[in-house]
Amino acid sequence: VNYVDLWGLCGSDGKKLTDEQLATAKFFLGESINGTPINYDDIKIYYYAVDAETLRKLAENIDLPEKRKEETINNLQDPTRGTSLPGGNIYLPGNTINDVKRLVHEIYHQVQYDSDPNTLKKVIDEQINYSVTGTDPYKYDISKVNSLSDISTVEGQAQFIEDFVENYNREITENSFSQYTQNMAKILSNSGINSDAVNTVRKSQEEGKTK
């Protein structure tokens, strides 16, 4: 019931991560990725969709046609998905508020912003590609993990982390479990993630468990 503001009377300032959210994020992501510390204390969560004006200000200095910028802004305002913007600002509207995998996904974006100043431009380019080609950057599932598909995109990497969180306690067949965890560990290691969650999965694989 926290942070529900039915009358819209509370301030618009973001909320800090709760103790539970912080513990979950640290379990899956650890303290740093590829040498980039995760600044959990700087993260602010807004429990509503990001507004268009905020997105326009961010896009002002990016060299793109105005039509493309507007398309991107519309895509990023999707109320069924979270949005992560530079500076630790995470928007979790609607059905994403209590979604653990989405929270971890959006926090991972903060690491990308901190480690690469061109991340926002890459995000917009990916959104434009999505609107032009219909190739949905949000679709990333076990079949792609098992084929070691390219996760060079900003969204692809975050979506992989989300898939990892979603399937962490999922029962899968003995035949697919070994291949899945091997590939998952390889990709996460290449991403610089060394978390308790990864180590637990590796240990489960060694013990032959199906979870």
Side-chain angles (χ1 to χ4, degrees):
V1 298
N2 289 342
Y3 309 131
V4 176
D5 180 31
L6 296 177
W7 298 103
L9 298 176
C10 72
S12 61
D13 53 309
K15 307 292 184 182
K16 291 281 190 179
L17 291 171
T18 65
D19 290 342
E20 183 179 359
Q21 287 173 327
L22 181 62
T24 300
K26 285 187 174 182
F27 177 76
F28 285 108
L29 297 175
E31 298 287 347
S32 65
I33 296 174
N34 278 336
T36 302
I38 303 177
N39 300 314
Y40 292 109
D41 289 339
D42 294 338
I43 290 174
K44 300 176 289 294
I45 302 203
Y46 301 84
Y47 292 92
Y48 50 82
V50 60
D51 62 283
E53 190 58 33
T54 296
L55 294 173
R56 288 194 183 96
K57 286 181 180 178
L58 284 172
E60 277 180 358
N61 298 322
I62 296 178
D63 185 20
L64 286 171
E66 287 303 315
K67 180 181 178 182
R68 292 303 187 200
K69 286 185 181 181
E70 285 300 317
E71 289 175 350
T72 302
I73 288 170
N74 290 336
N75 286 338
L76 290 175
Q77 281 191 288
D78 186 341
T80 66
R81 294 167 171 159
T83 299
S84 190
L85 299 177
N89 300 305
I90 294 176
Y91 295 80
L92 294 177
N95 63 353
T96 63
I97 290 176
N98 297 313
D99 191 336
V100 172
K101 64 181 184 296
R102 175 54 57 174
L103 174 68
V104 174
H105 172 125
E106 301 302 347
I107 291 176
Y108 184 77
H109 278 318
Q110 292 300 318
V111 180
Q112 294 170 316
Y113 288 129
D114 289 342
S115 61
D116 183 357
N118 294 315
T119 295
L120 183 60
K121 175 64 164 59
K122 292 178 181 178
V123 169
I124 292 179
D125 286 343
E126 289 172 21
Q127 290 291 334
I128 290 173
N129 182 63
Y130 172 33
S131 65
V132 172
T133 66
T135 304
D136 192 344
Y138 297 99
K139 299 296 183 184
Y140 203 88
D141 54 32
I142 289 180
S143 65
K144 295 181 180 179
V145 175
N146 281 339
S147 64
L148 288 180
S149 295
D150 178 33
I151 57 167
S152 62
T153 64
V154 173
E155 191 59 44
Q157 292 172 10
Q159 194 65 29
F160 175 80
I161 301 301
E162 179 176 332
D163 182 68
F164 172 40
V165 175
E166 182 177 14
N167 291 286
Y168 181 69
N169 288 317
R170 174 178 171 177
E171 289 189 28
I172 51 181
T173 65
E174 195 71 43
N175 289 334
S176 66
F177 183 72
S178 176
Q179 187 65 48
Y180 173 70
T181 52
Q182 286 177 25
N183 291 342
M184 182 178 64
K186 179 177 179 180
I187 294 175
L188 288 173
S189 295
N190 290 341
S191 299
I193 296 176
N194 181 21
S195 68
D196 292 339
V198 180
N199 293 332
T200 300
V201 171
R202 284 175 172 159
K203 184 177 179 182
S204 295
Q205 180 189 348
E206 292 168 2
E207 295 175 354
K209 294 181 179 178
T210 58
K211 279 194 175 182

